[in-house]
Amino acid sequence: MPSIISVTKLSKTYSSGFQALRDINLEIRRGEIFALLGPNGAGKTTLISTICGIVRPSAGTIFADGHDIVTDFRAARAKIGLVPQELTTDAFETVWATVSFSRGLFGKPANPAYIETTLKNLSLWDKKDSRIMTLSGGMKRRVLIAKALSHEPQILFLDEPSAGVDVELRQDMWRLVRTLRDSGVTIILTTHYIEEAEEMADRVGVISRGELILVEEKAELMRKLGRKQLTLQLQAPLERLPPELDAYRLDLARQGTELIYTYDTRGERTGITALLRDLSAAGIRFKDLQTSQSSLEDIFVGLLRERA
Amino acid sequence: MNVHAVRAIFGFEMARTRRTLLQSIVAPVISTSLYFVVFGAAIGSRISSIEGVPYGAFIVPGLVMLSLLTQSIANASFGIYFPRFSGTIYEILSAPISPFEIVLGYVGAAATKSIALGAIILLTASLFVPLRIEHPGWMALFLVLTAGTFSLFGFIIGLWADGFEKLQLVPLLVVTPLTFLGGSFYSVDMLPPAWRTVTLFNPVLYLVSGFRWSFFGQADVSVGASLGMTLAFLVGCLALVTWMFRTGYRLKN
Ligand SMILES: Nc1ncnc2c1ncn2[C@@H]1O[C@H](COP(=O)(O)OP(=O)(O)O)[C@@H](O)[C@H]1O
Ligand SMILES: [Mg+2]
């Protein structure tokens, strides 16, 4: 089945001359939850805004459910719902009015029953006649989600959905996202938290300085991110490793005074116990040890260097 | 055509007015009455009639035009400026709706309000002076065309403005003076010749003149010129707004 979103050679240079996106190629699969992971200023919002028609692309093409977002914008945009990063809501409208407005805006006839269900799913039903300005930040975020869902979109964008959101709303939101996914909606969310990508996504795209530096199944990415190193400082330098330790794929460093073991924290076993036992059996003694984990920043840097 | 969207925008804008219904009706009724007291009573006692029309009645078309121009611009410019300012414009920009439909929703609502306002002012005026309308069809045409054109002009100002001051700037510094100087409250024939020539360069004169003609059958300039000027301004605004959407001017980065 073709991708539900297909981005080809997309670049964006703002009128200030700043290039926010560089040659982005991205295929989003129908029905998946895709997390766009990257530090602040990486270009996540720019990418989403371009797909949604809010920012004009400088080069490249985008298809949403087979429709070119420029030449066939009606069909493309009708499929898409967007929850923006900022809490931008009307003030004087009621919750009911603003959500009904969104549905009409996206070309759908009124459907009070559907809007009622949506508001109930978001715990907004008892606020339906409240003016938006009287609501808390968390409630406003719910209103934005309800607006984005008002026209029953096939594709839902959530830009930094957990920024400034309390635990309860986060849990509600993730429950809703999973329900939507189960009903066939494709969800693309942006975040700068690895944990969030890990918790929610099927696949993860890492973006940094306007470049999409990798797109992977979450499991694969987490394996890379979950790698740790154990460094052992030896009492006496080794010239080479005894063959019975080959299975551990150890590295000798610092003229044979350090042994480095790389392992996966996500594995059933890390292999550390066995390694220490086998080292002892081989008569290798050590005076100190440390473990270290690469941070997201390290991984970004590593990935960028790999590409260079 | 995304009819639901046009209706949604139109309804949203009308709801905004409904919330301030009292202001929207009471304010124009009061200010119209004030104009009658000041212009009609004070000046009318000195100028009994202009070209056979009692002065009180003579100023009615000008009064309606003044409100029509200022309110169309104020309504339409605020209608589009505010979502830009607050950020809610993201939703309009991401919706499956064409620029034409966006304009239709916002400008249609602003024009509807202005037309209703024009009707209210006419009704209020008829309490003070006997009004006759010689060419009701033309009167309606000028009313609708002017409301539509200046709502469109207001929409353009709302797109162009990057602060609340700029929103006020054009109505305050351009439109209101031009309306006062455009024969709203006098006939240009009453001016010295040099001023008369200058006044002929004022586009608002043509609007007021044509509108007054539809009431009393007499005008400062020919009806054709009035209609031509209104249509020219409408076409100019349409061209400008088309260019703005095509280039994403102040709407899209
Ligand atoms: N309208 C704009 N004009 C110029 N630069 C912009 C504009 N919007 C965003 N940028 C810049 O583009 C980069 C990417 O921004 P953004 O897409 O918001 O990043 P993210 O959402 O990943 O935090 C940032 O450096 C930001 O300063
Ligand atoms: Mg962002």
Side-chain angles (χ1 to χ4, degrees):
Chain A
M1 204 185 279
S3 312
I4 191 151
I5 288 183
S6 177
V7 177
T8 311
K9 296 192 171 158
L10 176 68
S11 292
K12 173 63 189 178
T13 304
Y14 281 111
S15 51
S16 62
F18 181 81
Q19 188 169 10
L21 296 176
R22 295 161 193 270
D23 198 28
I24 304 274
N25 293 288
L26 175 63
E27 304 288 323
I28 308 277
R29 296 174 192 157
R30 195 173 295 270
E32 73 176 340
I33 299 180
F34 187 90
L36 204 51
L37 177 66
N40 275 328
K44 303 182 293 295
T45 299
T46 303
L47 177 54
I48 285 190
S49 302
T50 312
I51 298 173
C52 293
I54 298 166
V55 166
R56 297 151 72 91
S58 306
T61 55
I62 302 170
F63 286 83
D65 203 13
H67 305 286
D68 186 306
I69 63 142
V70 177
T71 59
D72 197 8
F73 70 92
R74 276 185 207 277
R77 291 184 194 173
K79 306 269 160 120
I80 298 177
L82 165 66
V83 182
Q85 181 173 351
E86 309 292 339
L87 277 181
T88 42
T89 56
D90 293 309
F92 301 102
E93 313 303 312
T94 65
V95 170
W96 180 270
T98 199
V99 177
S100 304
F101 168 79
S102 299
R103 185 174 169 91
L105 195 62
F106 278 75
K108 289 266 179 139
N111 184 346
Y114 175 76
I115 292 184
E116 180 176 338
T117 312
T118 307
L119 292 185
K120 283 181 174 162
N121 285 343
L122 284 158
S123 314
L124 277 172
W125 182 242
D126 55 333
K127 299 276 186 209
K128 72 181 164 61
D129 297 318
S130 305
R131 287 184 172 199
I132 299 166
M133 63 183 175
T134 65
L135 303 180
S136 68
M139 281 292 169
K140 285 181 182 153
R141 176 79 56 188
R142 288 172 198 259
V143 171
L144 287 177
I145 299 172
K147 279 165 80 73
L149 293 175
S150 66
H151 61 284
E152 302 160 61
Q154 283 305 296
I155 305 165
L156 179 67
F157 286 96
L158 294 161
D159 198 356
E160 310 263 350
S162 57
V165 154
D166 60 25
V167 179
E168 191 193 353
L169 176 51
R170 249 176 82 118
Q171 286 170 348
D172 278 6
M173 206 153 56
W174 293 158
R175 205 174 306 124
L176 181 74
V177 163
R178 292 208 172 88
T179 313
L180 286 169
R181 196 260 308 266
D182 293 344
S183 71
V185 177
T186 306
I187 290 142
I188 297 110
L189 58 93
T190 73
T191 179
H192 50 262
Y193 300 117
I194 293 183
E195 300 75 26
E196 194 157 276
E198 182 181 359
E199 190 182 341
M200 293 304 302
D202 299 314
R203 285 197 309 150
V204 178
V206 178
I207 185 169
S208 172
R209 296 193 204 126
E211 283 188 84
L212 194 59
I213 51 187
L214 96 167
V215 175
E216 292 224 69
E217 298 291 335
K218 177 180 66 182
E220 178 62 17
L221 182 71
M222 289 308 147
R223 198 187 59 71
K224 285 187 182 165
L225 297 185
R227 223 178 277 162
K228 276 186 110 171
Q229 290 190 328
L230 170 66
T231 307
L232 298 161
Q233 270 97 36
L234 303 180
Q235 287 194 343
L238 277 179
E239 255 172 49
R240 54 189 173 77
L241 288 162
E244 60 265 34
L245 295 176
D246 276 355
Y248 295 104
R249 281 186 250 145
L250 300 170
D251 290 315
L252 261 180
R254 302 203 177 210
Q255 290 89 41
T257 59
E258 275 184 13
L259 265 184
I260 297 173
Y261 173 54
T262 305
Y263 62 98
D264 186 353
T265 50
R266 272 146 218 283
E268 288 268 301
R269 308 208 160 96
T270 56
I272 292 173
T273 318
L275 172 68
L276 295 184
R277 192 187 56 226
D278 290 351
L279 282 175
S280 159
I284 299 171
R285 304 178 150 268
F286 47 90
K287 51 186 181 193
D288 201 0
L289 78 175
Q290 302 102 36
T291 65
S292 60
Q293 181 163 31
S294 21
S295 68
L296 184 56
E297 287 301 316
D298 293 341
I299 289 159
F300 283 150
V301 171
L303 285 166
L304 283 171
R305 200 179 297 137
E306 241 171 65
R307 283 163 51 95
Chain B
M1 178 91 172
N2 185 345
V3 181
H4 293 293
V6 176
R7 199 181 295 158
I9 294 176
F10 187 89
F12 180 93
E13 285 298 295
M14 295 313 277
R16 197 160 60 77
T17 314
R18 228 170 291 132
R19 281 196 296 269
T20 53
L21 200 58
L22 208 62
Q23 275 157 268
S24 324
I25 292 182
V26 174
V29 170
I30 291 181
S31 64
T32 308
S33 306
L34 282 175
Y35 275 112
F36 274 107
V37 172
V38 174
F39 284 91
I43 302 175
S45 62
R46 289 162 186 264
I47 312 170
S48 57
S49 68
I50 296 177
E51 290 156 29
V53 180
Y55 184 71
F58 181 87
I59 64 171
V60 172
L63 264 181
V64 174
M65 271 294 159
L66 178 63
S67 299
L68 212 56
L69 299 192
T70 50
Q71 290 305 307
S72 295
I73 293 175
N75 265 320
S77 62
F78 189 82
I80 188 67
Y81 177 74
F82 198 73
R84 284 180 54 221
F85 169 78
S86 71
T88 54
I89 191 82
Y90 85 87
E91 200 179 18
I92 305 284
L93 296 178
S94 64
I97 175 170
S98 69
F100 175 71
E101 290 155 358
I102 296 177
V103 170
L104 202 59
Y106 280 105
V107 172
T112 304
K113 285 182 234 179
S114 300
I115 292 167
L117 185 69
I120 292 171
I121 293 174
L122 277 181
L123 280 176
T124 312
S126 68
L127 300 177
F128 289 86
V129 289
L131 268 185
R132 61 164 214 272
I133 302 173
E134 248 170 53
H135 310 285
W138 281 95
M139 195 277 282
L141 180 70
F142 275 116
L143 191 70
V144 171
L145 267 182
T146 309
T149 303
F150 279 81
S151 296
L152 188 57
F153 185 53
F155 187 85
I156 290 169
I157 293 173
L159 282 181
W160 161 78
D162 49 15
F164 279 99
E165 320 76 58
K166 278 200 185 170
L167 222 49
Q168 316 280 359
L169 209 65
V170 175
L172 205 66
L173 293 186
V174 181
V175 177
T176 308
L178 283 183
T179 313
F180 273 94
L181 297 174
S184 300
F185 303 106
Y186 51 84
S187 164
V188 279
D189 290 339
M190 297 160 72
L191 298 174
W195 269 111
R196 200 178 308 159
T197 313
V198 172
T199 307
L200 287 176
F201 286 97
N202 179 349
V204 179
L205 169 77
Y206 295 79
L207 303 177
V208 175
S209 167
F211 197 51
R212 184 176 292 133
W213 170 84
S214 70
F215 282 77
F216 309 122
Q218 39 185 257
D220 288 329
V221 294
S222 77
V223 186
S226 291
L227 191 63
M229 185 60 89
T230 314
L231 290 176
F233 201 62
L234 177 62
V235 170
C237 287
L238 280 174
L240 194 54
V241 84
T242 307
W243 173 82
M244 283 174 145
F245 273 105
R246 200 158 280 163
T247 56
Y249 178 83
R250 300 264 166 114
L251 274 175
K252 293 191 189 187
N253 288 306

